Amino acid sequence: MVRTPLTPEEHERGERLGAILREARGDRTMAEVAFAAGVSAETLRKIETGRAPTPAFFTVVALAAALGLSTDAIASAAAAAPLREPLSA
């Protein structure tokens, strides 16, 4: 199966998602948050750096729960917020 290339907007949305997660993680380590979410630290690193701009829905839900964020807040902020605007919960 060939995956269609992502649009620039999809890449930007992935970068915003990564920024939101990094901000919410605060001073906790990637390993701590990844363990709490049941994902690998490498998966979290790829999402936070934008190298995995379209993570699986269940991965985002698990990270949201581990970080105390609502999926609605993440979706709204990642879809519409400028890249440098902080997430207000």
Side-chain angles (χ1 to χ4, degrees), residues 13-64:
R13 187 175 57 231
E15 290 175 6
R16 286 191 300 266
L17 172 62
I20 291 162
L21 296 177
R22 269 193 314 279
E23 180 183 332
R25 185 165 54 85
D27 60 354
R28 291 180 280 180
T29 67
M30 279 188 183
E32 290 171 331
V33 173
F35 180 78
V39 301
S40 72
E42 183 59 20
T43 295
L44 179 55
R45 182 180 344 278
K46 286 178 181 177
I47 295 168
E48 284 191 1
T49 60
R51 287 183 21 230
T54 58
F57 174 76
F58 294 105
T59 300
V60 176
V61 170
L63 288 168

